[in-house]
Amino acid sequence: MCARPHRLACAAPTLRGAAFAAPPPAAPHGLVGGEDLPLPQWLFAWAAAAVLVASFFGLAAGWTKPQLQDPTGRRVVRIPAPVQMLLGAVGIAIFAVVVYAGFAGAQVDTANLAPTVVFVYFWVVVPVLSVLIGDLFQYLSPWRAVSRGGGWLASKIAGDSLPKPMQYPARLGRWPAVLGVVGFAWLELVCPDRGDPSLLATLALLYFALQVLGACLYGERAWTQNADAFGGLFALIGRLSPLDWDDGRLAVRRPLSGVTTMATGAGAVALLCALIGSTTYDGFSQGSVWLSLLPRLQDAFQAIGFGASAALQMAGTVGLLACIGIVYGLYRIGIDGVKTVARGRTADELSKQFAHTLLPIGVAYLVAHYLSLVAFQGQAIAFLISDPLGQGDALFGTASRAIDYAWLSTNWIWYLQVGALLSGHIAGLVLAHDRALALFDDQRVATRSQYWMLAVMVCFTSLGLWLLASSG
């Protein structure tokens, strides 16, 4: 069983005297800095709110026409089919190694490659890289690579007799992806066996099989966009990038413009709320408020017949779903405020129109909360690739490497976390302002419509800073 990671994270500052100590468990939680700040944390919250307000009025004064609604980019180069196939083969190879390590390696999360790859690199590093360089995961995705290869082979064998994929049910929309993200969050944050390598390998194989089957039935693109929790989410995050790798070519576009045309069918808002809400719960579950509520919830579930472990998991499940619901509620408050200005438009319509503004906030929460996880536990990859099974191998000569806790101070982590939160929320303000200008003919009406969204952005920023501070 994986030890509660935040306990280790909180102890990290005391380990600086032994900067090259033994590696910690592969922890899905991040470390929170800011213990010895030269300024009080409440001052950071006020300063962040002031920056958002100043950014809002700066946009109102200087950004008078929509500039992001057309994501058309300038094509730079075509990606040859052999390169796409090579990337797919690399993705399949990495997947196979991780699964093999999960089953055949030592069943200890500190020594096995699988937990670190899944919780650090797959869940955190890939989304961050998607913001910076675009959605390259669409070519590296092992299940998409197998689906593409299988489809090509089947077309060569069956020719015109190959049946066409079924139409994906519009009423399902992105709800399967929502279930996938919430399920992964539950595994990461609630499941007591989250660090069990064989469990991770089993779930990875099941997910792989489900994605290949769905792509066969409904077509790779339609299935991935709607039902692939990770491929679909990473593709959305990649839309924030100025680099567009879609359709086998690289194009350059305005940063943030790609997300303005994201599909907003059923479940789209819920998917982004699940991303923000799950990270919110991760921080909230490490704070004193939740730790005071948890025993009461556990006792309540035990009182109706659950065992101690099951009651603890039920309490965690309630907390996770509650955080997602709170995020959705904050967003709908902002939308209801926009509706008071947008005469003739329904709240559901406006909710879809502004859904994309949540995406940079979700990325900001992800980066801010898991920054230290990548900074410290990410170093474990150096020795894990030399000894992926935890059996004393030294394949690349790096098995003796250890984690250096001294290279980044807790204060610097805090500054970077605050910077990430501010950057994400300013990006959300920019997207909301640009969309309002596109929806309303009158610039003054567009600006008034965003007062409520500004308030929501300030709430999200304050919430993020409070979570980071309270979980330290």
Side-chain angles (χ1 to χ4, degrees):
M1 181 183 298
C2 178
R4 283 299 287 175
H6 66 273
R7 294 174 184 169
L8 174 74
C10 292
T14 68
L15 297 176
R16 296 185 186 283
F20 295 95
H29 300 255
L31 175 146
V32 177
E35 294 184 349
D36 301 307
L37 293 172
L39 297 174
Q41 290 173 345
W42 63 264
L43 191 57
F44 280 89
W46 278 103
V51 170
L52 286 177
V53 172
S55 300
F56 174 85
F57 287 105
L59 287 171
W63 196 304
T64 58
K65 294 181 180 179
Q67 301 179 34
L68 301 176
Q69 303 305 303
D70 181 9
T72 304
R74 177 175 57 86
R75 176 175 153 175
V76 176
V77 67
R78 187 83 185 170
I79 306 172
V83 174
Q84 298 182 44
M85 294 173 62
L86 177 61
L87 291 173
V90 169
I92 293 172
I94 294 174
F95 180 82
V97 169
V98 171
V99 169
Y100 178 74
F103 284 127
Q107 297 302 300
V108 180
D109 56 0
T110 56
N112 197 293
L113 177 69
T116 292
V117 170
V118 170
F119 290 124
V120 180
Y121 284 89
F122 181 69
W123 182 235
V124 184
V125 174
V126 170
V128 173
L129 288 179
S130 297
V131 175
L132 299 175
I133 63 174
D135 180 31
L136 275 177
F137 183 77
Q138 62 182 300
Y139 301 111
L140 289 166
S141 169
W143 41 87
R144 292 192 71 175
V146 168
S147 299
R148 287 192 296 265
W152 177 84
L153 184 61
S155 66
K156 293 298 182 182
I157 296 174
D160 295 336
S161 63
L162 185 69
K164 293 183 178 180
M166 296 186 294
Q167 184 175 2
Y168 183 83
R171 66 182 180 277
L172 279 181
R174 296 184 186 268
W175 284 110
V178 175
L179 292 177
V181 169
V182 175
F184 182 84
W186 188 90
L187 170 70
E188 178 196 7
L189 306 174
V190 180
C191 178
D193 298 320
R194 65 180 70 84
D196 184 343
S198 61
L199 173 63
L200 293 177
T202 301
L203 293 175
L205 280 179
L206 290 174
Y207 189 82
F208 179 94
L210 176 63
Q211 296 309 309
V212 172
L213 176 61
C216 291
L217 293 176
Y218 297 105
E220 178 213 343
R221 182 172 290 272
W223 179 261
T224 298
Q225 177 178 303
N226 292 286
D228 182 358
F230 304 107
L233 182 60
F234 298 162
L236 284 180
I237 293 173
R239 286 172 169 264
L240 296 169
S241 171
L243 302 181
D244 178 13
W245 298 89
D246 207 10
D247 296 327
R249 60 42 173 165
L250 170 62
V252 178
R253 62 195 175 196
R254 289 185 176 184
L256 304 180
S257 64
V259 77
T260 60
T261 56
M262 64 169 277
T264 54
V269 175
L271 178 63
L272 300 180
C273 289
L275 173 63
I276 302 172
S278 60
T279 311
T280 298
Y281 174 70
D282 194 357
F284 181 64
S285 66
Q286 299 178 55
S288 58
V289 174
W290 174 250
L291 295 178
S292 66
L293 290 174
L294 183 58
R296 303 176 192 176
L297 281 174
Q298 187 178 9
D299 290 343
F301 281 110
Q302 285 187 271
I304 59 177
F306 286 91
S309 177
L312 183 63
Q313 293 177 58
M314 289 299 297
T317 303
V318 169
L320 173 62
L321 296 178
C323 285
I324 295 173
I326 289 171
V327 169
Y328 177 75
L330 285 174
Y331 176 65
R332 283 307 296 253
I333 289 173
I335 292 300
D336 288 340
V338 175
K339 186 175 178 293
T340 62
V341 176
R343 306 296 182 184
R345 298 180 186 271
T346 66
D348 286 341
E349 178 187 356
L350 291 170
S351 177
K352 293 178 179 179
Q353 290 282 359
F354 287 94
H356 64 295
T357 65
L358 291 173
L359 189 58
I361 298 173
V363 175
Y365 267 54
L366 193 72
V367 172
H369 193 77
Y370 294 108
L371 174 65
S372 60
L373 181 69
V374 175
F376 297 128
Q377 184 62 29
Q379 299 175 50
I381 200 68
F383 53 80
L384 289 173
I385 59 174
S386 272
D387 186 19
L389 304 184
Q391 297 177 349
D393 298 323
L395 301 179
F396 301 104
T398 57
S400 61
R401 296 279 183 88
I403 295 175
D404 178 9
Y405 288 101
W407 81 275
L408 191 63
S409 71
T410 52
N411 279 1
W412 267 108
I413 289 174
W414 173 262
Y415 297 142
L416 292 172
Q417 287 170 326
V418 173
L421 284 173
L422 270 178
S423 298
H425 288 82
I426 290 173
L429 276 180
V430 169
L431 289 170
H433 178 74
D434 197 77
R435 178 53 56 86
L437 291 174
L439 288 179
F440 305 109
D441 295 331
D442 191 329
Q443 181 188 348
R444 291 173 298 179
V445 174
T447 300
R448 288 205 309 272
S449 74
Q450 293 308 292
Y451 290 154
W452 283 87
M453 294 301 287
L454 171 63
V456 169
M457 297 296 178
V458 171
C459 286
F460 276 132
T461 304
S462 301
L463 175 62
L465 291 174
W466 176 74
L467 291 171
L468 292 174
S470 64
S471 58

